[in-house]
Amino acid sequence: MSSSIENEYFCDGLTEEIINALAKIKELSVISRASSFYFKNKKTTTKEIIEKLGVATFIGGSVRLSKKKMRITVHMIDTVNDFLFWSETFDRDLEDIFKVQDEISLFIAEKLREYIGHIEIEDKLVEPLNLSINTYREYLKGRYYLMKFDYESTLKSIKIFEEIINEKPNFPNPYLDINQGYAYLGTMGLLPADEAFQIAQPYLKRALELDLSSPRSQLNLSWIECWQNWDLQKAYEHANNALEIQSTDEVYLTISSYLTVEGKLGPAQNYINKALELDPFSAINHHYKGYIYYLQQDYKKAIQFLQKSLTFNSVLPFPPIYIGQSLLLSGKFNEALEYFDGLKGVSLKDLTKLGGKTMSYAFLGDVSKCHIGIRELETYLNTELMGKALTFLVLTNVLLGNYEEAIDYVELAYKNKLPIILLFNTEPILKPIKNHKRFKKIMIQAISDNSNYTPIKRYRHSLLHTEDISKYVKEMEQVMMENKLYLNPNLSLKDLASYIELPTNYVSQLLNQGVNKNFSEYVNTFRLNEFKERVIFDENKNVTIMSIAYDSGFNSKTVFNTFFKKKEGITPNTYLKIKRRN
């Protein structure tokens, strides 16, 4: 709610940190940053957001900064019954930002547990960073540009991260971000792969020295093992490690890409679907789902998802390649040529327009124009665009029937350790050479067929022994009744846990396994019984129903009415009329 763009980076960072903190809780599926932020500055209602994201619980709020102070409001809405569970305001000092992030994350997690059932919560969800507010803001600005996924923005982000490293050399995150930036530029052929990976390597090495166990460190290691070292087994292992620490769409997308490399397109679809579940408005996730459909030769669906990805990020460089190739493989040669020729705003670091038109001429049988395109593509073989040029040269030569020349280019890519090799394995245009002896030999050398990937099982062992559950359930009920704890409208799960002297995680699981209720339902059952007893007392004949409900421990009219009707099947008014008639 602050006007300054610098404050916007700050507020976005706070929100993203809370999202990441909640995502660490294994029992929760938390919508990722891109989809949550999609609705920023858009005229839309809470109901519309809930429907588009398909969520069961909605967390909203605002941040207002004023000099060295900040006011953060947070509220939670039950999307099934459409009512406000709670609302809370935090007035804090700006310098305490990391402490506040953890405080709010834990507060939300505790409230979620009270209303949706057992989840295990660590004592701390956000680790503080040894940074000043100004440095933190600069870091968030760098992340903003890094996530744009284009050449110029990536370089801009790297410059910001380098300045932060000069100031804070023991802060691991900017090292990881620089590694990610150069890895992206090398993988996408926007810089020579070898050069980009060599520049990135010392940054990653330093990040791992500072923090090997973070999910981002493991994910960066995973990418390197796949796209640089071509070791899928190790790539899967590191991705699994990242997933064990924190369930994010980025990890599911990563695993989907590895399965795609191996040609396991069914499982790859399952993983990209999970990524889209967590981040349904992510441009890169929609692109990759479209790409998998392209590999499955379902070109109509491929184009649908690829075009949708561009509605979320119009400068994403990959979708236009596969939109055009889908048109070509659908037999729409002239439409594809027109599409490639009409690409607007294509970066100078992108050969999609040239390569796409060259392939289109091959499909159309215009050999003369096709060869002109091939010769122009060949001029880039000794430049930083070698990877992109080789891709289109391989594809075009296969289309022309020049299989030996195409495989020569594949060998050149292999010798230069270019990541594009891994994409050739499943490319539909390369079908004519898939069984060629030379091609198969290269693919076997590049892609190991013994990765034996097994997804991790994300579960927790029971904290309580079965024989203890019934004992503690009776003790908990006795404590509730003797102390009438439920009459406290602000009673929390932590409060109840302190009375029976058990850790909060244990009591949460006790409610889940012992009485099959979440905390809110458990306590409101006592309140409901209290209300039913009080409402028929003669002395309460002239007292309003809601006054009796509040005296029974309820603190919300909506919660009371909704819970009463759910349990009794009728409204409180109808219930009272029936009781008074009897």
Side-chain angles (χ1 to χ4, degrees):
M1 297 178 69
S2 307
S3 58
S4 167
I5 185 64
E6 297 298 323
N7 287 341
E8 184 174 1
Y9 295 136
F10 175 83
C11 298
D12 286 356
L14 183 148
T15 307
E16 183 176 9
E17 195 59 58
I18 292 173
I19 290 171
N20 291 337
L22 295 175
K24 293 175 183 176
I25 301 173
K26 292 178 169 50
E27 293 87 353
L28 298 181
S29 288
V30 183
I31 296 296
S32 297
R33 179 190 194 278
S35 292
S36 297
F37 281 34
Y38 175 78
F39 298 96
K40 270 187 60 180
N41 305 319
K42 288 184 171 65
K43 292 182 178 179
T44 185
T45 65
T46 299
K47 184 178 179 182
E48 288 172 334
I49 295 172
I50 288 167
E51 289 174 352
K52 289 179 179 178
L53 293 180
V55 294
T57 308
F58 176 90
I59 307 291
S62 63
V63 183
R64 186 187 295 277
L65 304 181
S66 177
K67 296 182 180 178
K68 294 183 178 181
K69 295 287 184 180
M70 57 183 167
R71 167 166 289 182
I72 302 165
T73 65
V74 189
H75 62 264
M76 185 168 87
I77 296 173
D78 176 349
T79 66
V80 177
N81 298 302
D82 192 26
F83 65 81
L84 182 70
F85 272 138
W86 50 261
S87 180
E88 192 78 13
T89 299
F90 299 83
D91 289 317
R92 300 290 186 271
D93 291 333
L94 199 57
E95 293 296 330
D96 292 334
I97 179 60
F98 305 117
K99 180 180 177 182
V100 172
Q101 287 174 350
D102 187 51
E103 179 185 2
I104 294 175
S105 300
L106 286 169
F107 178 82
I108 293 172
E110 290 286 357
K111 289 296 184 182
L112 282 169
R113 176 160 61 184
E114 291 180 4
Y115 284 98
I116 69 174
H118 175 62
I119 56 176
E120 288 180 44
I121 304 172
E122 303 293 336
D123 293 336
K124 184 176 284 292
L125 292 176
V126 178
E127 291 296 332
L129 299 175
N130 183 24
L131 300 176
S132 68
I133 288 298
N134 290 336
T135 302
Y136 185 54
R137 280 178 168 151
E138 281 301 299
Y139 174 69
L140 295 174
K141 185 189 296 185
R143 286 287 297 171
Y144 170 81
Y145 286 112
L146 181 67
M147 300 310 290
K148 280 182 169 290
F149 292 111
D150 66 70
Y151 179 77
E152 288 79 10
S153 295
T154 302
L155 291 183
K156 190 170 185 177
S157 73
I158 289 172
K159 184 177 180 181
I160 293 172
F161 295 136
E162 286 174 338
E163 291 172 354
I164 292 172
I165 287 172
N166 287 336
E167 182 182 343
K168 284 288 181 180
N170 293 326
F171 179 31
N173 289 14
Y175 293 98
L176 288 170
D177 292 315
I178 291 176
N179 174 74
Q180 181 178 340
Y182 279 116
Y184 162 75
L185 295 175
T187 301
M188 296 313 302
L190 301 177
L191 282 179
D194 281 349
E195 177 187 329
F197 297 153
Q198 284 176 12
I199 295 173
Q201 198 275 334
Y203 290 100
L204 178 62
K205 181 181 178 183
R206 180 57 180 152
L208 297 178
E209 289 172 352
L210 293 169
D211 187 1
L212 177 62
S213 62
S214 78
R216 289 195 62 210
S217 294
Q218 290 297 313
L219 202 52
N220 274 264
L221 281 171
S222 180
W223 294 333
I224 283 177
E225 291 297 350
C226 177
W227 302 108
Q228 296 180 38
N229 299 338
W230 299 350
D231 190 330
L232 282 172
Q233 178 63 44
K234 288 184 179 178
Y236 280 128
E237 288 174 5
H238 288 298
N240 251 344
N241 291 341
L243 188 60
E244 176 64 19
I245 301 167
Q246 184 176 341
S247 177
T248 66
D249 71 293
E250 196 173 24
V251 183
Y252 286 108
L253 169 64
T254 295
I255 295 173
S256 179
S257 71
Y258 300 162
L259 291 165
T260 301
V261 166
E262 291 190 279
K264 299 173 181 176
L265 302 183
Q269 278 282 20
N270 293 336
Y271 274 86
I272 197 60
N273 287 342
K274 181 61 178 176
L276 277 166
E277 178 186 315
L278 295 175
D279 208 345
F281 287 86
S282 162
I284 191 68
N285 289 345
H286 277 90
H287 158 74
Y288 210 80
K289 187 170 178 68
Y291 174 63
I292 294 173
Y293 275 126
Y294 167 79
L295 298 180
Q296 292 174 325
Q297 300 175 63
D298 189 340
Y299 302 120
K300 185 177 180 180
K301 284 185 179 177
I303 292 172
Q304 174 188 339
F305 280 94
L306 293 165
Q307 287 178 334
K308 193 169 184 179
S309 73
L310 292 174
T311 66
F312 298 129
N313 184 351
S314 61
V315 298
L316 200 63
F318 342 111
I321 299 171
Y322 296 105
I323 290 173
Q325 289 180 192
S326 292
L327 291 171
L328 289 172
L329 292 169
S330 300
K332 301 175 181 179
F333 307 147
N334 287 307
E335 189 176 336
L337 177 60
E338 187 178 341
Y339 174 80
F340 281 122
D341 193 39
L343 287 176
K344 303 292 184 183
V346 177
S347 168
L348 294 174
K349 296 288 182 181
D350 193 319
L351 298 180
T352 300
K353 189 170 186 175
L354 171 61
K357 288 174 65 176
T358 303
M359 286 192 298
S360 299
Y361 291 132
F363 270 102
L364 288 164
D366 193 335
V367 178
S368 176
K369 288 184 179 178
C370 182
H371 280 295
I372 291 173
I374 287 174
R375 286 195 292 273
E376 187 173 350
L377 285 167
E378 288 173 340
T379 64
Y380 290 97
L381 290 178
N382 294 317
T383 72
E384 59 190 26
L385 298 179
M386 179 185 188
K388 272 286 183 74
L390 275 175
T391 299
F392 288 118
L393 287 169
V394 170
L395 298 177
T396 304
N397 275 286
V398 168
L399 294 173
L400 292 174
N402 302 330
Y403 300 152
E404 295 297 333
E405 289 90 333
I407 296 173
D408 286 342
Y409 285 124
V410 173
E411 284 186 340
L412 183 59
Y414 177 80
K415 289 176 182 176
N416 283 275
K417 200 77 175 179
L418 298 179
I420 58 168
I421 278 288
L422 303 185
L423 303 182
F424 289 156
N425 188 46
T426 49
E427 170 58 54
I429 291 176
L430 300 189
K431 268 187 175 181
I433 64 170
K434 289 288 176 72
N435 292 319
H436 193 289
K437 185 176 180 180
R438 286 171 62 205
F439 183 81
K440 286 176 69 175
K441 182 180 179 181
I442 295 170
M443 289 298 105
I444 290 172
Q445 290 174 323
I447 303 170
S448 172
D449 61 356
N450 62 351
S451 63
N452 297 321
Y453 170 62
T454 303
I456 62 172
K457 296 179 180 178
R458 297 175 58 77
Y459 66 90
R460 293 274 191 175
H461 294 294
S462 176
L463 298 173
L464 295 166
H465 295 296
T466 306
E467 59 269 20
D468 293 333
I469 291 177
S470 59
K471 181 185 75 171
Y472 284 125
V473 166
K474 290 178 182 177
E475 182 180 334
M476 182 166 61
E477 186 172 345
Q478 185 178 350
V479 166
M480 284 289 288
M481 295 300 294
E482 288 180 355
N483 297 278
K484 289 191 176 292
L485 298 180
Y486 52 86
L487 295 182
N488 175 5
N490 297 315
L491 182 71
S492 69
L493 183 61
K494 280 186 174 181
D495 294 334
L496 176 57
S498 68
Y499 269 92
I500 57 178
E501 298 181 347
L502 280 176
T504 310
N505 277 330
Y506 278 62
V507 178
S508 175
Q509 192 173 81
L510 180 62
L511 289 166
N512 184 65
Q513 293 181 251
V515 296
N516 197 29
K517 292 177 182 177
N518 61 45
F519 171 79
S520 177
E521 189 176 15
Y522 179 72
V523 176
N524 283 338
T525 299
F526 287 95
R527 291 168 177 162
L528 179 60
N529 291 335
E530 182 78 12
F531 170 85
K532 287 161 67 176
E533 286 183 14
R534 290 187 180 214
V535 79
I536 58 174
F537 291 161
D538 288 340
E539 61 263 35
N540 285 331
K541 279 186 177 180
N542 297 319
V543 180
T544 65
I545 284 177
M546 279 314 303
S547 291
I548 300 171
Y550 290 137
D551 287 342
S552 301
F554 287 99
N555 61 4
S556 163
K557 180 178 180 180
T558 306
V559 171
F560 167 67
N561 286 326
T562 302
F563 188 75
F564 191 99
K565 191 169 183 181
K566 177 182 176 182
K567 292 298 181 183
E568 300 297 325
I570 55 177
T571 66
N573 275 315
T574 303
Y575 175 85
L576 182 57
K577 288 176 183 178
I578 293 172
K579 285 293 180 182
R580 285 179 176 171
R581 280 203 305 266
N582 295 336

PDB file of all heavy atoms in Angstrom, residues 182-205:
ATOM      1  N   TYR A 182      23.654 -17.260 -15.145  1.00  0.00           N
ATOM      2  CA  TYR A 182      24.566 -17.716 -16.190  1.00  0.00           C
ATOM      3  C   TYR A 182      24.179 -19.096 -16.726  1.00  0.00           C
ATOM      4  O   TYR A 182      24.311 -19.376 -17.924  1.00  0.00           O
ATOM      5  CB  TYR A 182      26.003 -17.731 -15.674  1.00  0.00           C
ATOM      6  CG  TYR A 182      26.660 -16.377 -15.703  1.00  0.00           C
ATOM      7  CD1 TYR A 182      27.064 -15.728 -14.537  1.00  0.00           C
ATOM      8  CD2 TYR A 182      26.896 -15.729 -16.924  1.00  0.00           C
ATOM      9  CE1 TYR A 182      27.650 -14.484 -14.558  1.00  0.00           C
ATOM     10  CE2 TYR A 182      27.493 -14.467 -16.958  1.00  0.00           C
ATOM     11  CZ  TYR A 182      27.859 -13.851 -15.778  1.00  0.00           C
ATOM     12  OH  TYR A 182      28.451 -12.612 -15.818  1.00  0.00           O
ATOM     13  N   ALA A 183      23.696 -19.968 -15.828  1.00  0.00           N
ATOM     14  CA  ALA A 183      23.250 -21.290 -16.282  1.00  0.00           C
ATOM     15  C   ALA A 183      22.095 -21.147 -17.268  1.00  0.00           C
ATOM     16  O   ALA A 183      22.017 -21.865 -18.272  1.00  0.00           O
ATOM     17  CB  ALA A 183      22.827 -22.138 -15.091  1.00  0.00           C
ATOM     18  N   TYR A 184      21.184 -20.215 -16.983  1.00  0.00           N
ATOM     19  CA  TYR A 184      20.061 -19.954 -17.896  1.00  0.00           C
ATOM     20  C   TYR A 184      20.573 -19.457 -19.239  1.00  0.00           C
ATOM     21  O   TYR A 184      20.155 -19.942 -20.303  1.00  0.00           O
ATOM     22  CB  TYR A 184      19.115 -18.934 -17.269  1.00  0.00           C
ATOM     23  CG  TYR A 184      18.195 -18.281 -18.262  1.00  0.00           C
ATOM     24  CD1 TYR A 184      17.103 -18.974 -18.786  1.00  0.00           C
ATOM     25  CD2 TYR A 184      18.414 -16.979 -18.692  1.00  0.00           C
ATOM     26  CE1 TYR A 184      16.268 -18.384 -19.716  1.00  0.00           C
ATOM     27  CE2 TYR A 184      17.590 -16.373 -19.619  1.00  0.00           C
ATOM     28  CZ  TYR A 184      16.507 -17.077 -20.133  1.00  0.00           C
ATOM     29  OH  TYR A 184      15.697 -16.486 -21.057  1.00  0.00           O
ATOM     30  N   LEU A 185      21.496 -18.482 -19.218  1.00  0.00           N
ATOM     31  CA  LEU A 185      22.019 -17.927 -20.468  1.00  0.00           C
ATOM     32  C   LEU A 185      22.739 -18.991 -21.295  1.00  0.00           C
ATOM     33  O   LEU A 185      22.608 -19.040 -22.519  1.00  0.00           O
ATOM     34  CB  LEU A 185      22.979 -16.763 -20.167  1.00  0.00           C
ATOM     35  CG  LEU A 185      22.354 -15.520 -19.514  1.00  0.00           C
ATOM     36  CD1 LEU A 185      23.445 -14.512 -19.157  1.00  0.00           C
ATOM     37  CD2 LEU A 185      21.325 -14.878 -20.442  1.00  0.00           C
ATOM     38  N   GLY A 186      23.485 -19.877 -20.607  1.00  0.00           N
ATOM     39  CA  GLY A 186      24.194 -20.933 -21.325  1.00  0.00           C
ATOM     40  C   GLY A 186      23.269 -22.010 -21.837  1.00  0.00           C
ATOM     41  O   GLY A 186      23.403 -22.476 -22.976  1.00  0.00           O
ATOM     42  N   THR A 187      22.305 -22.415 -21.021  1.00  0.00           N
ATOM     43  CA  THR A 187      21.377 -23.475 -21.421  1.00  0.00           C
ATOM     44  C   THR A 187      20.522 -23.048 -22.599  1.00  0.00           C
ATOM     45  O   THR A 187      20.235 -23.853 -23.497  1.00  0.00           O
ATOM     46  CB  THR A 187      20.470 -23.862 -20.230  1.00  0.00           C
ATOM     47  OG1 THR A 187      21.299 -24.306 -19.157  1.00  0.00           O
ATOM     48  CG2 THR A 187      19.510 -24.976 -20.606  1.00  0.00           C
ATOM     49  N   MET A 188      20.109 -21.790 -22.623  1.00  0.00           N
ATOM     50  CA  MET A 188      19.238 -21.300 -23.694  1.00  0.00           C
ATOM     51  C   MET A 188      20.012 -20.807 -24.908  1.00  0.00           C
ATOM     52  O   MET A 188      19.422 -20.311 -25.858  1.00  0.00           O
ATOM     53  CB  MET A 188      18.337 -20.180 -23.157  1.00  0.00           C
ATOM     54  CG  MET A 188      17.367 -20.633 -22.081  1.00  0.00           C
ATOM     55  SD  MET A 188      16.487 -22.165 -22.510  1.00  0.00           S
ATOM     56  CE  MET A 188      15.687 -21.685 -24.031  1.00  0.00           C
ATOM     57  N   GLY A 189      21.341 -20.938 -24.885  1.00  0.00           N
ATOM     58  CA  GLY A 189      22.126 -20.539 -26.042  1.00  0.00           C
ATOM     59  C   GLY A 189      22.275 -19.031 -26.188  1.00  0.00           C
ATOM     60  O   GLY A 189      22.630 -18.547 -27.263  1.00  0.00           O
ATOM     61  N   LEU A 190      22.008 -18.287 -25.131  1.00  0.00           N
ATOM     62  CA  LEU A 190      22.149 -16.835 -25.185  1.00  0.00           C
ATOM     63  C   LEU A 190      23.586 -16.401 -24.898  1.00  0.00           C
ATOM     64  O   LEU A 190      23.958 -15.253 -25.113  1.00  0.00           O
ATOM     65  CB  LEU A 190      21.185 -16.180 -24.190  1.00  0.00           C
ATOM     66  CG  LEU A 190      19.702 -16.516 -24.426  1.00  0.00           C
ATOM     67  CD1 LEU A 190      18.825 -15.890 -23.339  1.00  0.00           C
ATOM     68  CD2 LEU A 190      19.243 -16.041 -25.803  1.00  0.00           C
ATOM     69  N   LEU A 191      24.387 -17.332 -24.381  1.00  0.00           N
ATOM     70  CA  LEU A 191      25.837 -17.207 -24.255  1.00  0.00           C
ATOM     71  C   LEU A 191      26.423 -18.572 -24.595  1.00  0.00           C
ATOM     72  O   LEU A 191      25.734 -19.590 -24.443  1.00  0.00           O
ATOM     73  CB  LEU A 191      26.249 -16.820 -22.834  1.00  0.00           C
ATOM     74  CG  LEU A 191      26.099 -15.363 -22.384  1.00  0.00           C
ATOM     75  CD1 LEU A 191      26.549 -15.223 -20.927  1.00  0.00           C
ATOM     76  CD2 LEU A 191      26.881 -14.409 -23.261  1.00  0.00           C
ATOM     77  N   PRO A 192      27.677 -18.637 -25.045  1.00  0.00           N
ATOM     78  CA  PRO A 192      28.281 -19.954 -25.261  1.00  0.00           C
ATOM     79  C   PRO A 192      28.196 -20.776 -23.975  1.00  0.00           C
ATOM     80  O   PRO A 192      28.555 -20.292 -22.902  1.00  0.00           O
ATOM     81  CB  PRO A 192      29.731 -19.621 -25.625  1.00  0.00           C
ATOM     82  CG  PRO A 192      29.682 -18.231 -26.155  1.00  0.00           C
ATOM     83  CD  PRO A 192      28.599 -17.540 -25.390  1.00  0.00           C
ATOM     84  N   ALA A 193      27.713 -22.001 -24.089  1.00  0.00           N
ATOM     85  CA  ALA A 193      27.443 -22.811 -22.900  1.00  0.00           C
ATOM     86  C   ALA A 193      28.691 -22.961 -22.032  1.00  0.00           C
ATOM     87  O   ALA A 193      28.644 -22.743 -20.814  1.00  0.00           O
ATOM     88  CB  ALA A 193      26.910 -24.177 -23.320  1.00  0.00           C
ATOM     89  N   ASP A 194      29.824 -23.334 -22.646  1.00  0.00           N
ATOM     90  CA  ASP A 194      31.052 -23.528 -21.872  1.00  0.00           C
ATOM     91  C   ASP A 194      31.445 -22.260 -21.125  1.00  0.00           C
ATOM     92  O   ASP A 194      31.805 -22.294 -19.944  1.00  0.00           O
ATOM     93  CB  ASP A 194      32.203 -23.953 -22.797  1.00  0.00           C
ATOM     94  CG  ASP A 194      32.119 -25.428 -23.143  1.00  0.00           C
ATOM     95  OD1 ASP A 194      31.307 -26.127 -22.514  1.00  0.00           O
ATOM     96  OD2 ASP A 194      32.860 -25.873 -24.040  1.00  0.00           O
ATOM     97  N   GLU A 195      31.368 -21.145 -21.837  1.00  0.00           N
ATOM     98  CA  GLU A 195      31.755 -19.867 -21.229  1.00  0.00           C
ATOM     99  C   GLU A 195      30.839 -19.519 -20.063  1.00  0.00           C
ATOM    100  O   GLU A 195      31.300 -19.135 -18.981  1.00  0.00           O
ATOM    101  CB  GLU A 195      31.689 -18.765 -22.290  1.00  0.00           C
ATOM    102  CG  GLU A 195      32.004 -17.372 -21.756  1.00  0.00           C
ATOM    103  CD  GLU A 195      31.772 -16.298 -22.801  1.00  0.00           C
ATOM    104  OE1 GLU A 195      31.951 -16.578 -24.013  1.00  0.00           O
ATOM    105  OE2 GLU A 195      31.402 -15.182 -22.415  1.00  0.00           O
ATOM    106  N   ALA A 196      29.526 -19.665 -20.272  1.00  0.00           N
ATOM    107  CA  ALA A 196      28.554 -19.320 -19.231  1.00  0.00           C
ATOM    108  C   ALA A 196      28.735 -20.201 -17.996  1.00  0.00           C
ATOM    109  O   ALA A 196      28.728 -19.713 -16.857  1.00  0.00           O
ATOM    110  CB  ALA A 196      27.136 -19.457 -19.773  1.00  0.00           C
ATOM    111  N   PHE A 197      28.912 -21.510 -18.214  1.00  0.00           N
ATOM    112  CA  PHE A 197      29.046 -22.436 -17.093  1.00  0.00           C
ATOM    113  C   PHE A 197      30.354 -22.211 -16.340  1.00  0.00           C
ATOM    114  O   PHE A 197      30.412 -22.348 -15.114  1.00  0.00           O
ATOM    115  CB  PHE A 197      28.947 -23.883 -17.575  1.00  0.00           C
ATOM    116  CG  PHE A 197      27.610 -24.226 -18.182  1.00  0.00           C
ATOM    117  CD1 PHE A 197      27.496 -25.229 -19.130  1.00  0.00           C
ATOM    118  CD2 PHE A 197      26.466 -23.532 -17.814  1.00  0.00           C
ATOM    119  CE1 PHE A 197      26.267 -25.538 -19.691  1.00  0.00           C
ATOM    120  CE2 PHE A 197      25.229 -23.837 -18.369  1.00  0.00           C
ATOM    121  CZ  PHE A 197      25.134 -24.838 -19.313  1.00  0.00           C
ATOM    122  N   GLN A 198      31.410 -21.853 -17.067  1.00  0.00           N
ATOM    123  CA  GLN A 198      32.697 -21.589 -16.411  1.00  0.00           C
ATOM    124  C   GLN A 198      32.621 -20.341 -15.539  1.00  0.00           C
ATOM    125  O   GLN A 198      33.169 -20.296 -14.444  1.00  0.00           O
ATOM    126  CB  GLN A 198      33.793 -21.439 -17.464  1.00  0.00           C
ATOM    127  CG  GLN A 198      34.242 -22.760 -18.075  1.00  0.00           C
ATOM    128  CD  GLN A 198      35.257 -22.576 -19.194  1.00  0.00           C
ATOM    129  OE1 GLN A 198      35.792 -21.491 -19.383  1.00  0.00           O
ATOM    130  NE2 GLN A 198      35.517 -23.638 -19.950  1.00  0.00           N
ATOM    131  N   ILE A 199      31.928 -19.315 -16.048  1.00  0.00           N
ATOM    132  CA  ILE A 199      31.765 -18.092 -15.255  1.00  0.00           C
ATOM    133  C   ILE A 199      30.947 -18.381 -14.003  1.00  0.00           C
ATOM    134  O   ILE A 199      31.223 -17.879 -12.910  1.00  0.00           O
ATOM    135  CB  ILE A 199      31.071 -16.995 -16.097  1.00  0.00           C
ATOM    136  CG1 ILE A 199      31.964 -16.583 -17.276  1.00  0.00           C
ATOM    137  CG2 ILE A 199      30.750 -15.778 -15.230  1.00  0.00           C
ATOM    138  CD1 ILE A 199      31.295 -15.638 -18.256  1.00  0.00           C
ATOM    139  N   ALA A 200      29.910 -19.231 -14.163  1.00  0.00           N
ATOM    140  CA  ALA A 200      28.992 -19.512 -13.059  1.00  0.00           C
ATOM    141  C   ALA A 200      29.623 -20.383 -11.979  1.00  0.00           C
ATOM    142  O   ALA A 200      29.285 -20.255 -10.795  1.00  0.00           O
ATOM    143  CB  ALA A 200      27.735 -20.195 -13.604  1.00  0.00           C
ATOM    144  N   GLN A 201      30.530 -21.268 -12.374  1.00  0.00           N
ATOM    145  CA  GLN A 201      31.034 -22.311 -11.473  1.00  0.00           C
ATOM    146  C   GLN A 201      31.579 -21.785 -10.141  1.00  0.00           C
ATOM    147  O   GLN A 201      31.207 -22.282  -9.068  1.00  0.00           O
ATOM    148  CB  GLN A 201      32.097 -23.140 -12.206  1.00  0.00           C
ATOM    149  CG  GLN A 201      32.386 -24.491 -11.576  1.00  0.00           C
ATOM    150  CD  GLN A 201      33.416 -24.401 -10.459  1.00  0.00           C
ATOM    151  OE1 GLN A 201      34.235 -23.494 -10.452  1.00  0.00           O
ATOM    152  NE2 GLN A 201      33.368 -25.343  -9.527  1.00  0.00           N
ATOM    153  N   PRO A 202      32.438 -20.764 -10.120  1.00  0.00           N
ATOM    154  CA  PRO A 202      32.955 -20.310  -8.815  1.00  0.00           C
ATOM    155  C   PRO A 202      31.884 -19.696  -7.915  1.00  0.00           C
ATOM    156  O   PRO A 202      31.986 -19.764  -6.689  1.00  0.00           O
ATOM    157  CB  PRO A 202      34.017 -19.263  -9.199  1.00  0.00           C
ATOM    158  CG  PRO A 202      33.734 -18.898 -10.614  1.00  0.00           C
ATOM    159  CD  PRO A 202      33.109 -20.084 -11.241  1.00  0.00           C
ATOM    160  N   TYR A 203      30.845 -19.122  -8.528  1.00  0.00           N
ATOM    161  CA  TYR A 203      29.746 -18.566  -7.719  1.00  0.00           C
ATOM    162  C   TYR A 203      28.995 -19.687  -7.006  1.00  0.00           C
ATOM    163  O   TYR A 203      28.670 -19.577  -5.818  1.00  0.00           O
ATOM    164  CB  TYR A 203      28.792 -17.761  -8.597  1.00  0.00           C
ATOM    165  CG  TYR A 203      29.369 -16.465  -9.099  1.00  0.00           C
ATOM    166  CD1 TYR A 203      29.885 -16.352 -10.386  1.00  0.00           C
ATOM    167  CD2 TYR A 203      29.416 -15.347  -8.264  1.00  0.00           C
ATOM    168  CE1 TYR A 203      30.429 -15.152 -10.849  1.00  0.00           C
ATOM    169  CE2 TYR A 203      29.969 -14.144  -8.714  1.00  0.00           C
ATOM    170  CZ  TYR A 203      30.461 -14.057 -10.008  1.00  0.00           C
ATOM    171  OH  TYR A 203      31.003 -12.877 -10.439  1.00  0.00           O
ATOM    172  N   LEU A 204      28.719 -20.760  -7.745  1.00  0.00           N
ATOM    173  CA  LEU A 204      28.028 -21.884  -7.123  1.00  0.00           C
ATOM    174  C   LEU A 204      28.904 -22.517  -6.045  1.00  0.00           C
ATOM    175  O   LEU A 204      28.425 -22.857  -4.949  1.00  0.00           O
ATOM    176  CB  LEU A 204      27.643 -22.931  -8.165  1.00  0.00           C
ATOM    177  CG  LEU A 204      26.947 -24.171  -7.587  1.00  0.00           C
ATOM    178  CD1 LEU A 204      25.638 -23.801  -6.916  1.00  0.00           C
ATOM    179  CD2 LEU A 204      26.716 -25.222  -8.663  1.00  0.00           C
ATOM    180  N   LYS A 205      30.200 -22.666  -6.339  1.00  0.00           N
ATOM    181  CA  LYS A 205      31.114 -23.269  -5.375  1.00  0.00           C
ATOM    182  C   LYS A 205      31.101 -22.496  -4.061  1.00  0.00           C
ATOM    183  O   LYS A 205      31.030 -23.074  -2.978  1.00  0.00           O
ATOM    184  CB  LYS A 205      32.530 -23.309  -5.950  1.00  0.00           C
ATOM    185  CG  LYS A 205      33.550 -23.953  -5.020  1.00  0.00           C
ATOM    186  CD  LYS A 205      34.949 -23.945  -5.639  1.00  0.00           C
ATOM    187  CE  LYS A 205      35.967 -24.556  -4.683  1.00  0.00           C
ATOM    188  NZ  LYS A 205      37.341 -24.499  -5.242  1.00  0.00           N
TER     189      LYS A 205
END
